[in-house]
Amino acid sequence: MKLGELLLKQGTISEDMLAQALEVRKKDGTRLGTTLINLGYVKEEEMLVALSKHYGVKSVDLRNIEIDESLLKLVPSDLAGKYLIVPVSRFGRTLTVAMINPGDVAAIEDIQFATGFEVDAVVAAEDALLKVVQDHYNVQKMLSDVMYEIEMADAGDANVKVIDGTEEVKAVEEDLSSVQDDRDSGPALKLVSKIITDAVDMNVSDVHIEPYENDMRIRYRIDGILHEILKPPKRMNRALATVIKVMGKLKVEEKRLPQDGRIKARIHNKIIDIRVSTVPTLFGEKIALRILDRSTIQLNLDLLGFEEKTLKTFRSAIQTPYGIVLVTGPTGSGKTTTLYSALTELNDPGLNIITAEDPIEYSLHGINQLQVHEKIGLTFASALRSYLRQDPNIIMVGEIRDLETAQISIRASLTGHLVLSTVHTNSAGATVIRLTNMNVESFLIASTVLAISSQRLLRKVCGKCRQEVKYPDEVLMDAGLEPGKIDYPLVHGEGCEHCRGTGYKGRIGIFENMMITAKIRDLILKGATSEELEKTAVEQGMETLHDSAIHKLEHGLTSVEEVIRETKVV
C-alpha cells in the first residue's frame, strides 16, 4: 500500500489534503511525507508511525537520541549524503541505520560494502536525517578536503590554491601571499571562511579556537552556551592563527603577546564586524572571535525585555538632563546593547551625543563615537577630558574601570551633562560598593548617580518544540517558587532541528533598576552594604532580577532551569 493510501485509510489525512500535497510535491520535488509535514497536515510523530507501517520496519526519532560520533565515522560522508543514511547503533556485526527509504536495496548494499557490516534498516523523518547529515558529514567532508590539500602541500606543492569563498576571504588573498611559506595557509583560509560563515548563519556570538597538547577544538557560543563544533588536527593551529591575524591586520610574527584586531566582512550580502583576540597559551595561540551582526541587533528599549515598571523608571533616569546612569552585569549580559538602545532613543538633532568605547561595537548614525586606544595614551579618562571641551549634552563612557575615569564622569555630571556608562558588578547594590572601592567619595556617588540598572540574559524556550512540563517541588523551590501557588503552565523545549536540539532559541533580558532616592542616598552616605541598599530599593518598589525572570516564566518565555541558572543566590 502506498504511503498516501495508508494515511487515508488511517484517517490521518483527507483526500483533499492528499491531492494538495501531491500538487505541491510536483512543484518542489520533496517527498510526500515531508510535504504533508510542511503543510501541517501530519505531525512528525504520526508520519514516523505511518512510515514504519508502510515499510514494515521500526522507526526512530533522531531528535530524541544522541548519536555516538564513532558510529557516524563508520559511514562515508558521500554515501550518507547520497542516500540520507545515519547509523544509530551497532550490535556485533550488525549496524542499524536510519533511512528515509528502508526499501532501497541498492543503498543498503552500498553501505554493507563500504562498512563491512550487516545492515538493519529503520525509518526516520527526512528533516531529522538532513540535520544530522548537514551537521556532521558536511563539516567532516570539508575537513577531509582541507586535510587533503594540506597533505598535497606537504608532498611538495608549494602553490596551494586558495579556494574562493566569501568576499572577505578574497580580500586577503594578496596579503596571504606574504606568508605562503606556511603551506597550510590555503586550506586554513577555506576553513576560516567556513567557520565564520557558519557562525553567522547560526547566530553565534563568539567563536573559540583552542589548542591543546595533542589536538585542538573549535567552539561556538550560541545563546550564551558554548558548543563544541569541530576538532581539527593540532597542526592546523599555526595556519589558522596566521590566516586570522592577516584578516584582522595583526602582527603575524608576534606569538608571545596578546593582540586585538578587527575584521570587516561581507557574508550573504550583510556587513559583519568581527572582533579578534589572540592570547598565547601553553600549547599555542588561542583565538576568540566576537561576531557582530548588525542585521540581528535590536536597538529598541521596548524589545529588550524590560518589565513595564522597570522600563518606566529607567526611561525617567536617562531623560534627566544631567547625572550618571550606570548599567551593570557580567560580560556578555547585553550591557552595550542596552546603552546603545538608550542612545538611539535619546538621539536628536538638537543634542550633541558623544561616546568613548573600547571597542566600538556598532556605528550609530548621528552620534560621535571614539575608539579608545590605551597603547597610545587615548584612555577613557583622556577621551572624557577632551569631550568636555566639545560642548556635549550626553556622554557615553564604555566602562568606568578606574578612579580617574570615575572622577571625570562625576565632574561631567556635576557640570550639566548626562553620563551613561557600565560597571562590571553582579548587582545594582554592589555597584555602589565597587565605586567606593575605587576610592570615589560616597557624597559624590550619592549626589551624581541617578540610577543603576543590573541585567542578565535568559535563553528563550524554542517556539517549535515547547512543551508543558511538571517539575519536582525541590526544583521549583530552587527557582524561588512556591509549588502550591503556581497557577500558570511551565514549559521547556524538547529539542528539535530549529533549536539544534537544545530546546532554546534566542535570548531575552531580565532587569532590575535601582533609582537613587533620598533614602538610598542617605544609606550611601552612611556606608551601607549592598544588601541594605537592595533591601531598601525593593521596599520602595524595585523589581529584582528574580522578579523579572519569574515574569518571563509566567509568560512561557523561559524555563525553570534558566531562572535557576541566572538568578539563584547561593
Side-chain angles (χ1 to χ4, degrees):
M1 188 181 297
K2 293 182 178 180
L3 178 61
E5 294 172 357
L6 178 61
L7 291 168
L8 280 173
K9 185 178 179 181
Q10 292 179 168
T12 307
I13 60 172
S14 66
E15 290 189 3
D16 288 343
M17 290 177 179
L18 178 59
Q20 187 175 350
L22 290 171
E23 193 65 32
V24 172
R25 183 190 176 195
K26 286 180 184 177
K27 295 177 182 177
D28 59 22
T30 55
R31 294 175 181 273
L32 178 60
T34 302
T35 303
L36 287 166
I37 292 172
N38 292 340
L39 290 172
Y41 295 156
V42 181
K43 293 181 179 178
E44 192 161 306
E45 296 80 4
E46 295 174 326
M47 184 56 67
L48 278 177
V49 172
L51 288 170
S52 179
K53 289 181 180 179
H54 176 60
Y55 289 111
V57 298
K58 294 179 180 178
S59 64
V60 60
D61 188 346
L62 294 179
R63 300 173 303 171
N64 297 325
I65 63 172
E66 187 172 342
I67 302 171
D68 191 337
E69 286 285 328
S70 62
L71 287 175
L72 292 167
K73 292 175 182 177
L74 293 176
V75 176
S77 59
D78 56 340
L79 291 183
K82 179 180 179 180
Y83 296 121
L84 274 188
I85 289 178
V86 172
V88 293
S89 65
R90 172 188 165 190
F91 184 76
R93 298 303 304 168
T94 300
L95 183 68
T96 301
V97 298
M99 304 175 61
I100 189 64
N101 180 9
D104 190 338
V105 177
I108 292 174
E109 288 179 348
D110 281 353
I111 296 297
Q112 288 181 160
F113 179 78
T115 63
F117 288 93
E118 292 296 320
V119 170
D120 178 25
V122 297
V123 69
E126 184 175 12
D127 283 351
L129 285 165
L130 273 170
K131 181 181 182 299
V132 176
V133 170
Q134 289 170 353
D135 285 357
H136 177 79
Y137 287 108
N138 287 358
V139 168
Q140 294 305 316
K141 184 177 185 304
M142 177 198 70
L143 273 177
S144 297
D145 292 343
V146 168
M147 288 311 301
Y148 174 75
E149 291 186 38
I150 291 174
E151 295 303 326
M152 291 297 291
D154 286 343
D157 182 2
N159 298 310
V160 178
K161 188 175 181 181
V162 177
I163 297 174
D164 286 346
T166 51
E167 189 169 309
E168 84 281 4
V169 172
K170 298 176 186 178
V172 298
E173 286 186 23
E174 292 182 6
D175 292 334
L176 282 170
S177 63
S178 63
V179 291
Q180 280 300 313
D181 58 309
D182 182 351
R183 294 183 181 180
D184 289 358
S185 294
L189 184 55
K190 176 185 176 185
L191 182 56
V192 169
S193 173
K194 176 69 174 172
I195 290 168
I196 293 174
T197 303
D198 283 355
V200 172
D201 289 342
M202 295 161 61
N203 293 321
V204 170
S205 61
D206 300 89
V207 178
H208 293 266
I209 302 172
E210 305 164 321
Y212 296 97
E213 185 174 9
N214 299 313
D215 59 6
M216 63 182 295
R217 68 178 177 181
I218 296 172
R219 295 191 291 170
Y220 287 171
R221 188 178 293 280
I222 304 172
D223 293 335
I225 304 297
L226 283 169
H227 301 269
E228 186 175 302
I229 302 297
L230 291 174
K231 294 193 74 172
K234 170 66 183 300
R235 55 177 302 184
M236 290 198 70
N237 179 236
R238 181 186 173 202
L240 289 173
T242 297
V243 169
I244 291 171
K245 283 180 177 180
V246 170
M247 294 171 73
K249 297 181 175 58
L250 303 179
K251 295 178 181 179
V252 174
E253 66 281 359
E254 180 56 77
K255 299 178 176 66
R256 299 170 300 169
L257 296 173
Q259 296 188 73
D260 295 308
R262 197 174 194 123
I263 300 169
K264 191 171 184 178
R266 184 182 295 277
I267 300 172
H268 306 321
N269 292 319
K270 295 191 296 184
I271 299 296
I272 306 295
D273 285 320
I274 303 166
R275 281 163 40 192
V276 182
S277 172
T278 69
V279 176
T281 68
L282 182 60
F283 299 111
E285 289 186 277
K286 179 187 182 302
I287 301 167
L289 307 176
R290 169 65 59 88
I291 310 294
L292 303 170
D293 185 351
R294 299 178 189 177
S295 66
T296 62
I297 194 73
Q298 293 180 320
L299 302 181
N300 186 330
L301 290 174
D302 292 312
L303 302 178
L304 298 184
F306 278 97
E307 307 307 325
E308 184 178 352
K309 181 179 178 181
T310 305
L311 180 57
K312 184 178 180 180
T313 61
F314 184 74
R315 275 199 167 115
S316 71
I318 65 172
Q319 289 167 359
T320 305
Y322 55 87
I324 299 175
V325 177
L326 298 174
V327 176
T328 184
T331 301
S333 60
K335 298 186 297 296
T336 302
T337 300
T338 300
L339 286 180
Y340 278 1
S341 299
L343 290 179
T344 300
E345 187 163 300
L346 296 170
N347 195 4
D348 182 272
L351 295 174
N352 179 16
I353 303 176
I354 53 183
T355 76
E357 305 172 57
D358 184 22
I360 297 172
E361 295 197 1
Y362 297 99
S363 174
L364 303 175
H365 181 70
I367 294 174
N368 303 287
Q369 296 171 267
L370 178 145
Q371 169 70 57
V372 168
H373 199 328
E374 294 194 358
K375 288 183 179 179
I376 62 172
L378 184 55
T379 62
F380 283 120
S382 61
L384 270 172
R385 276 194 295 269
S386 299
Y387 273 171
L388 290 176
R389 296 189 290 271
Q390 289 282 321
D391 185 33
N393 297 104
I394 299 170
I395 301 172
M396 187 195 98
V397 186
E399 181 185 352
I400 295 177
R401 59 176 68 157
D402 54 42
L403 177 60
E404 187 180 13
T405 307
Q407 288 175 332
I408 299 172
S409 298
I410 288 169
R411 192 198 318 161
S413 68
L414 289 172
T415 53
H417 306 89
L418 176 65
V419 179
L420 308 180
S421 189
T422 70
V423 179
H424 277 273
T425 58
N426 290 322
S427 67
T431 304
V432 174
I433 309 304
R434 175 81 179 98
L435 292 173
T436 304
N437 290 341
M438 289 182 192
N439 293 321
V440 179
E441 297 287 350
S442 295
F443 74 90
L444 289 175
I445 299 172
S447 60
T448 57
V449 178
L450 301 169
I452 303 172
S453 179
S454 180
Q455 65 183 76
R456 300 287 190 280
L457 290 174
L458 294 183
R459 291 186 292 172
K460 295 165 66 177
V461 172
C462 175
K464 300 283 187 181
C465 62
R466 56 189 291 126
Q467 300 285 340
E468 287 191 25
V469 63
K470 298 290 184 182
Y471 287 97
D473 287 353
E474 57 268 23
V475 174
L476 296 176
M477 288 187 286
D478 271 350
L481 298 166
E482 295 185 48
K485 295 185 177 180
I486 300 173
D487 57 358
Y488 50 87
L490 300 173
V491 298
H492 77 150
E494 291 286 340
C496 64
E497 291 86 353
H498 182 64
C499 62
R500 297 179 57 82
T502 64
Y504 299 96
K505 187 71 174 178
R507 290 189 290 176
I508 192 167
I510 54 173
F511 301 84
E512 64 182 18
N513 190 49
M514 186 172 79
M515 299 295 290
I516 307 302
T517 61
K519 191 169 184 179
I520 290 178
R521 194 173 293 118
D522 289 341
L523 288 173
I524 294 172
L525 291 171
K526 292 175 182 177
T529 65
S530 60
E531 290 79 10
E532 290 171 329
L533 292 170
E534 288 167 11
K535 181 181 178 182
T536 302
V538 170
E539 289 172 354
Q540 294 187 327
M542 181 183 83
E543 292 186 334
T544 65
L545 289 172
H546 184 262
D547 294 333
S548 184
I550 296 303
H551 284 307
K552 303 298 187 294
L553 196 65
E554 290 174 354
H555 289 87
L557 294 173
T558 192
S559 67
V560 169
E561 290 88 347
E562 280 296 285
V563 173
I564 294 172
R565 187 173 71 89
E566 287 295 346
T567 68
K568 182 179 179 181
V569 178
V570 180

